[in-house]
Amino acid sequence: MSSHRVSFTYLSQEDLLEAGCFDLRMAMDVAEKTMLAYEEQRVLFPEKIVQILDPVAQDRINCLPATLLDEKICGAKWVSVFPRNPKRYDMQNLSAIFILSGIEKGFPLAVMEGTLASNMRVAAMGGIAAKYLARKDSRIIGFIGAGEQAKMHMLAMKVVRPSLKECRVAAKTIEEENQFIHELSPLLPDINFISVNTVARQAMVGADILVTATSAQAPLLKAEWMKPGAFYSHIGGWEDEYQVAQQCDKIVCDDWNTVTHRTQTLSRMYKDGLLSHSDIHADLHELVSSDKPGRESDDERIYFNAVGLAYVDVALALAMFKRAQSSGVGQLLSLQETMVFEHKDILSRIRL
Ligand SMILES: NC(=O)c1ccc[n+]([C@@H]2O[C@H](COP(=O)([O-])OP(=O)(O)OC[C@H]3O[C@@H](n4cnc5c(N)ncnc54)[C@H](O)[C@@H]3O)[C@@H](O)[C@H]2O)c1
């Protein structure tokens, strides 16, 4: 008789780090390949399920599934976003877990820590956008927001634009700016980090790459701070005044259709009738597949907005799982030893 044992691999964040999965180059490669698979309709990508638990604070727990047909993997990210966590509990805003299942038998293959993959995916998408849209000689990067997304973004930007030499950071408090610098400067020793004492203007004026990654809902970034030739990566919700997008020569999204259903600055502009499909230059996958051009001149201002594509998260989680497996890390856990009625002691276990 065949075995009816079902097991899956459990991977903690420490397992993933040990296996070398904190690799933004890998994340960008995976994201680009998966965007091409999506274009070729080799990805199933249903709508995410959103549960808002506090409409004011926007505490939420969402479920984001996707299937990679070529890899024969169906996965889901179960992700919590609790914006008050850093202030209230000195804990991160976002936490996530992934489940990956095979689509031949349908059984789970892996359950894994997902905050790392999720944050890497956000940064990878920004990094890919910068690869196609930022000036090749970009030297100065400015941040408004110094949290987890901002840190990860900085690492991805340096991968695609090694010419970066100066990073200016503005946050709500000087302590957060210092924390950002304290954590990143050992990782990026050739970058000159500058805390701007919460004065956002100082972080942004003159920057070649501008990033907003805040939990604010306010027009923090002003159009006049963005110089010709600059590339802007918008990560949070409402973070910039409408004139920023209005003055840009190109607007690129990870997925414009999804943006229209969300609450980012571009989504607000769309709902207010100030932006339409014809104003959008491309979705990112169209740059990856060369269907549309990226940057075409040195003085274009370019705006990038990503709202998150769960199929990229699932693809990245799969790449991490494979790398962890080849490194031999993780724990194999049993889900069942056999099918329910095959248990020899079923008579003593059942409650009738
Ligand atoms: N686009 C995506 O795919 C994606 C994915 C995950 C998270 N996000 C969003 O990215 C944003 C940042 O997430 P995080 O995990 O880094 O959050 P975080 O809580 O770690 O950091 C938030 C940062 O915003 C700064 N901030 C808040 N108000 C500010 C203000 N008025 N002026 C200057 N700085 C201000 C804080 O000082 C802090 O540094 C959130 O809005 C989150 O929802 C987007």
Side-chain angles (χ1 to χ4, degrees):
M1 195 174 74
S2 66
S3 164
H4 293 151
R5 185 166 202 266
V6 177
S7 55
F8 64 91
T9 300
Y10 171 73
L11 292 162
S12 68
Q13 186 173 107
E14 288 68 29
D15 293 329
L16 297 171
L17 292 173
E18 189 185 333
C21 294
F22 191 0
D23 178 346
L24 284 157
R25 255 177 244 278
M26 170 185 83
M28 286 188 254
D29 285 350
V30 167
E32 290 208 30
K33 279 191 196 116
T34 312
M35 281 189 269
L36 294 177
Y38 173 75
E39 262 193 1
E40 284 156 23
Q41 302 185 355
R42 301 301 299 152
V43 173
L44 305 182
F45 184 34
E47 211 19 72
K48 70 176 175 180
I49 296 167
V50 176
Q51 297 175 87
I52 307 251
L53 309 171
D54 184 318
V56 177
Q58 287 290 303
D59 293 346
R60 54 199 186 272
I61 300 183
N62 297 344
C63 180
L64 295 86
T67 299
L68 311 169
L69 293 170
D70 293 333
E71 282 83 1
K72 299 188 172 52
I73 290 290
C74 176
K77 178 169 80 162
W78 181 256
V79 58
S80 304
V81 179
F82 283 65
R84 292 171 296 183
N85 278 0
K87 208 166 174 190
R88 275 188 165 177
Y89 308 114
D90 190 24
M91 289 288 286
Q92 75 228 27
N93 166 3
L94 182 148
S95 60
I97 193 162
F98 282 91
I99 299 180
L100 301 178
S101 296
I103 62 172
E104 277 167 341
K105 293 184 198 148
F107 292 129
L109 300 173
V111 171
M112 10 182 337
E113 192 283 323
T115 310
L116 178 64
S118 191
N119 290 347
M120 281 172 62
R121 184 268 307 159
V122 183
M125 296 299 274
I128 293 166
K131 179 173 127 183
Y132 292 97
L133 300 171
R135 280 179 59 138
K136 291 216 162 53
D137 59 356
S138 296
R139 209 180 61 78
I140 301 174
I141 184 167
F143 282 87
I144 306 180
E148 297 305 297
Q149 302 303 336
K151 290 172 204 162
M152 201 62 92
H153 234 68
M154 179 61 214
L155 297 175
M157 291 296 177
K158 182 67 175 160
V159 170
V160 295
R161 286 293 175 268
S163 54
L164 286 170
K165 289 285 174 273
E166 185 174 308
C167 171
R168 306 174 187 161
V169 57
K172 213 169 179 180
T173 65
I174 297 172
E175 289 70 33
E176 282 176 289
E177 294 174 6
N178 289 337
Q179 183 71 13
F180 177 98
I181 295 171
H182 174 74
E183 289 176 10
L184 288 191
S185 48
L187 307 180
L188 301 171
D190 70 327
I191 295 276
N192 177 27
F193 286 95
I194 299 170
S195 152
V196 297
N197 298 335
T198 77
V199 184
R201 185 178 186 285
Q202 269 182 36
M204 303 317 239
V205 171
D208 302 298
I209 298 180
L210 293 76
V211 180
T212 55
T214 74
S215 47
Q217 291 294 326
L220 300 176
L221 175 64
K222 309 296 175 204
E224 63 184 64
W225 300 350
M226 188 174 175
K227 69 177 185 182
F231 165 70
Y232 168 41
S233 180
H234 171 114
I235 302 172
W238 176 31
E239 304 182 295
D240 48 320
E241 59 180 19
Y242 286 3
Q243 291 90 327
V244 175
Q246 280 164 342
Q247 78 171 353
C248 278
D249 299 286
K250 286 190 172 115
I251 300 175
V252 175
C253 298
D254 58 352
D255 186 89
W256 163 246
N257 186 41
T258 308
V259 171
T260 61
H261 296 102
R262 299 288 168 78
T263 53
Q264 270 74 13
T265 308
L266 295 186
S267 327
R268 286 167 174 262
M269 292 175 72
Y270 171 75
K271 284 165 196 157
D272 291 347
L274 295 170
L275 200 67
S276 69
H277 181 70
S278 60
D279 298 311
I280 306 305
H281 170 66
D283 282 343
L284 188 57
H285 65 86
E286 295 174 293
L287 306 187
V288 175
S289 64
S290 306
D291 282 351
K292 300 238 174 108
R295 173 173 289 275
E296 290 168 285
S297 85
D298 273 353
D299 54 9
E300 281 178 299
R301 290 185 181 90
I302 305 185
Y303 188 120
F304 176 66
N305 181 203
V307 285
L309 301 173
Y311 66 81
V312 179
D313 289 89
V314 170
L316 180 54
L318 175 62
M320 289 176 153
F321 169 50
K322 285 182 180 165
R323 192 170 276 193
Q325 275 200 311
S326 60
S327 307
V329 303
Q331 292 175 58
L332 196 64
L333 299 180
S334 171
L335 201 60
Q336 68 175 39
E337 292 304 322
T338 185
M339 293 196 294
V340 172
F341 291 104
E342 292 173 353
H343 285 96
K344 290 202 171 58
D345 56 358
I346 191 71
L347 195 57
S348 62
R349 300 287 181 204
I350 193 168
R351 309 266 169 103
L352 290 172

